[in-house]
Amino acid sequence: MFQTLYSYFWWERLWLPANLTWADLEDRDGRVYAKASDLYITLPLAFLFLIVRHLFETYVATPLAGLLNVKERIRLKASPNPVLEKFYAATSKHPKQAEVELLSRQSGCSVRQVERWFRRRRNQDRPSLLKKFREASWRFTFYLLAFLAGMAVIVDKPWFYDLREVWKGYPIQSMLPSQYWYYMIELSFYWSLLFSIASDVKRKDFKEQIIHHVATIILISFSWFANYIRAGTLIMALHDSSDYLLESAKMFNYAGWRGTCNNIFIVFAAVFIVTRLLILPFWIMHCTVVYPLDLYPAFFGYYFFNAMMLVLQALHIFWAFLIIRMAHKFITGKVVEDERSDREETDNSEEEEEAAKNGPLANGHPHPALNNNHRKTD
């Protein structure tokens, strides 16, 4: 049964145009072609990325956070309460009013005290500013280096300037060593993002992030199997061109450099819109949808690849909506909150009560501690 499934999976008509077989892509006469077995190395490389990331965040990002004076908001801790903790862990982190009143009777606390306990408990579970800064630093470093590497791989190639060259001689197109390593590194990195997504900062677009990572892994893998390498390198470099700007804006945002963050974000928004909403659909997708039909009839792989491209494009439109909304707030000078992250919950009456009891200092710190509710790009 396994052998039958294996045969169906690697059926040439799924991956290659008509009249071509895997035998046509066997290495010969000094020409080397992409092979599915090449991608096995990406899984151990993904775990190596996780190790390198841990070392980077510990020995590079953390000291950098100190130099940039990344400060945490002072969070008041919820007092131990078994009744409320059990409800929080097993039922809901956001109890309804009727549930709050029931918990008030069960715990012996007032309704206001129960509401305050849940606010503080939710804030305790939110990731620290240092964790966010470290993650952004790691992704910034990778995306910047990947973009520079990608440009080095494609800038001297004829298909970078003439997209019809992407399909010249397809699929009998020899693989270059630079293309091999670019693919392996990019795919390994996205595997590492997928492996770590459960422990990374969880944002409101968590499901969209998973879809993005899975679609990206499928696209990169399929483009390798079907020898869509020229198109693949263009698409990867295009995506990396704006990602490092977003991560750098996050870093400055966490450091409290609001003006620098806003300026970088505006540049990021412009680059994102140009690359993801103009160049990708009207140049790259036009190249992958229209030009191949001049050379061979459409086949399953052709439809599959472009369907995955549409999934990514839909995600780009979703994120572009959020980005444009935030950029508009920057330009109009409005206070901007992170569109993708949960905000820190506060209660002005509670703060006033604490201040009345303790004066301008609460818990040994100035009470109006650094507020990062202005986060724009998290």
Side-chain angles (χ1 to χ4, degrees):
M1 180 179 177
F2 178 79
Q3 185 62 38
T4 301
L5 292 174
Y6 182 86
S7 299
Y8 275 118
F9 182 80
W10 291 110
W11 185 35
E12 284 95 343
R13 295 291 69 78
L14 291 179
W15 303 95
L16 299 173
N19 302 322
L20 285 169
T21 67
W22 295 118
D24 296 314
L25 297 180
E26 292 181 357
D27 298 347
R28 63 171 64 90
D29 302 327
R31 298 173 68 92
V32 179
Y33 299 97
K35 304 174 187 64
S37 59
D38 294 333
L39 300 188
Y40 291 150
I41 195 177
T42 61
L43 293 178
L45 281 178
F47 287 103
L48 179 60
F49 262 119
L50 294 177
I51 296 173
V52 173
R53 170 181 172 173
H54 174 73
L55 295 175
F56 177 89
E57 291 184 352
T58 302
Y59 298 107
V60 179
T62 300
L64 180 61
L67 290 175
L68 293 178
N69 200 27
V70 175
K71 296 179 179 178
E72 292 288 357
R73 180 191 176 100
I74 304 302
R75 294 176 177 175
L76 301 175
K77 292 185 178 181
S79 58
N81 190 308
V83 173
L84 301 183
E85 186 65 41
K86 181 179 179 181
F87 186 93
Y88 181 89
T91 306
S92 174
K93 297 180 180 180
H94 297 270
K96 298 178 181 178
Q97 187 60 37
E99 293 171 328
V100 170
E101 294 173 358
L102 177 61
L103 290 169
S104 173
R105 293 191 294 270
Q106 293 176 342
S107 64
C109 301
S110 68
V111 169
R112 182 180 177 187
Q113 287 173 328
V114 172
E115 292 172 340
R116 180 183 302 169
W117 188 93
F118 273 90
R119 279 193 299 272
R120 291 181 176 180
R121 187 64 181 83
R122 287 192 295 267
N123 284 337
Q124 282 179 225
D125 279 355
R126 290 192 170 87
S128 68
L129 200 61
L130 177 60
K131 178 177 175 61
K132 293 181 179 181
F133 181 88
R134 286 161 46 139
E135 287 187 12
S137 300
W138 165 248
R139 289 193 296 265
F140 164 76
T141 302
F142 176 83
Y143 288 135
L144 178 59
L145 294 177
F147 174 64
L148 295 175
M151 293 305 298
V153 169
I154 64 176
V155 73
D156 61 339
K157 307 300 186 295
W159 52 87
F160 181 71
Y161 305 95
D162 181 3
L163 292 179
R164 289 188 178 275
E165 292 286 330
V166 167
W167 305 107
K168 186 176 181 181
Y170 179 84
I172 313 300
Q173 296 174 337
S174 183
M175 175 190 65
L176 303 175
S178 58
Q179 294 172 327
Y180 171 85
W181 285 110
Y182 188 37
Y183 257 80
M184 298 306 108
I185 290 173
E186 285 275 353
L187 184 55
S188 301
F189 179 74
Y190 279 102
W191 274 121
S192 74
L193 289 183
L194 190 62
F195 294 157
S196 65
I197 195 168
S199 60
D200 288 345
V201 174
K202 189 173 182 179
R203 301 179 175 87
K204 293 178 182 178
D205 62 347
F206 178 75
K207 293 180 180 179
E208 289 82 1
Q209 285 287 345
I210 293 178
I211 294 172
H212 175 269
H213 295 341
V214 172
T216 300
I217 289 171
I218 292 174
L219 261 175
I220 295 176
S221 300
F222 175 81
S223 65
W224 185 261
F225 296 159
N227 213 27
Y228 273 39
I229 296 177
R230 294 181 181 180
T233 53
L234 291 173
I235 294 168
M236 290 188 293
L238 188 71
H239 280 73
D240 291 336
S241 64
S242 61
D243 288 341
Y244 70 91
L245 291 170
L246 173 61
E247 301 303 331
S248 63
K250 290 181 186 181
M251 293 168 62
F252 284 113
N253 179 50
Y254 300 145
W257 297 27
R258 301 184 186 183
T260 304
C261 168
N262 292 358
N263 292 333
I264 294 177
F265 187 84
I266 293 299
V267 175
F268 158 75
V271 174
F272 184 96
I273 291 170
V274 170
T275 56
R276 309 290 181 92
L277 300 188
L278 293 177
I279 295 178
L280 185 64
F282 295 108
W283 273 269
I284 303 298
M285 290 185 67
H286 182 269
C287 168
T288 62
V289 172
V290 177
Y291 294 163
L293 299 181
D294 294 337
L295 302 174
Y296 53 81
F299 63 106
F300 172 81
Y302 164 86
Y303 291 116
F304 181 79
F305 182 85
N306 287 297
M308 288 294 99
M309 290 290 291
L310 287 175
V311 171
L312 284 185
Q313 189 59 39
L315 290 173
H316 295 157
I317 294 172
F318 167 74
W319 282 317
F321 169 75
L322 300 180
I323 290 168
I324 292 172
R325 186 164 65 179
M326 288 188 284
H328 176 261
K329 291 178 180 178
F330 289 167
I331 294 172
T332 56
K334 296 180 180 178
V335 175
V336 179
E337 293 177 347
D338 187 354
E339 301 284 357
R340 297 168 52 203
S341 295
D342 293 332
R343 70 185 66 177
E344 189 89 3
E345 297 178 79
T346 58
D347 187 330
N348 290 335
S349 61
E350 179 182 335
E351 291 180 359
E352 291 170 2
E353 180 181 308
E354 295 283 353
K357 292 178 180 178
N358 304 311
L361 295 179
N363 295 338
H365 298 277
H367 200 71
L370 179 64
N371 188 340
N372 287 287
N373 288 347
H374 68 281
R375 295 169 196 152
K376 300 112 182 148
T377 60
D378 185 14

